[in-house]
């Protein structure tokens, strides 16, 4: 079986692979959280928030694929399995059942905030060992911060 070998030194690869795996898990979970709320939101602002949640899902899914492919490029097997996501995500619990529109917005503000905090740590940790991965994290962070801003404005 062919195994992809990384050009990075072993210590750098360890740092970068941990950052990529953590980002993958957070992005997969963010897409699941946003979709769960998308299906269960109720209230007067249902439609606008419902559509806004789909934008978060699309962003998270696109970036999770980029992150997973970067890991594979470096010879690291990405792990997006449900058990791994559940055990290692930095996002808190999502409410069960129907979610009032104002609570949905608050949940997304919190979830995005948690992922952004961890993503910024990844930006710092990969600066020296792999600027290519760092660049990916910078782009992801910018996109997530835009969603975070929009949901905060919605939360008013």
């Amino acid at each position: 079986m062919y195994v992809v070998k990384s050009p990075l030194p072993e210590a750098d690869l360890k740092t970068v692979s941990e950052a990529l795996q953590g980002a993958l898990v957070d992005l997969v979970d963010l897409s699941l959280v946003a979709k769960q709320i998308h299906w269960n939101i109720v209230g007067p602002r249902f439609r606008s928030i419902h559509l806004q949640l789909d934008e978060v899902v699309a962003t998270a899914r696109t970036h999770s694929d980029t992150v997973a492919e970067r890991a594979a490029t470096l010879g690291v097997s990405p792990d997006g399995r449900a058990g791994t996501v559940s055990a290692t995500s930095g996002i808190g619990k999502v409410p069960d059942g129907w979610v009032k529109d104002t609570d949905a917005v608050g949940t997304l503000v919190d979830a995005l905030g948690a992922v952004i905090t961890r993503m910024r740590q990844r930006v710092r940790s990969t600066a020296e060992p792999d600027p290519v991965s760092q660049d990916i994290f910078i782009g992801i962070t910018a996109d997530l911060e835009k969603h975070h801003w929009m949901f905060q404005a919605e939360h008013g």
Side-chain angles (χ1 to χ4, degrees), residues 4 11 13 21 47 53 68 73 97 104-105 133-134 154-155:
V4 177
L13 182 60
Q21 180 58 40
R47 180 152 174 76
L53 288 162
T73 298
V105 169
S133 293
Q134 182 197 40
E154 183 84 31
H155 206 34

Side-chain angles (χ1 to χ4, degrees), residues 32-33 102 122:
L32 295 171
V33 164
T102 53
R122 294 175 185 118

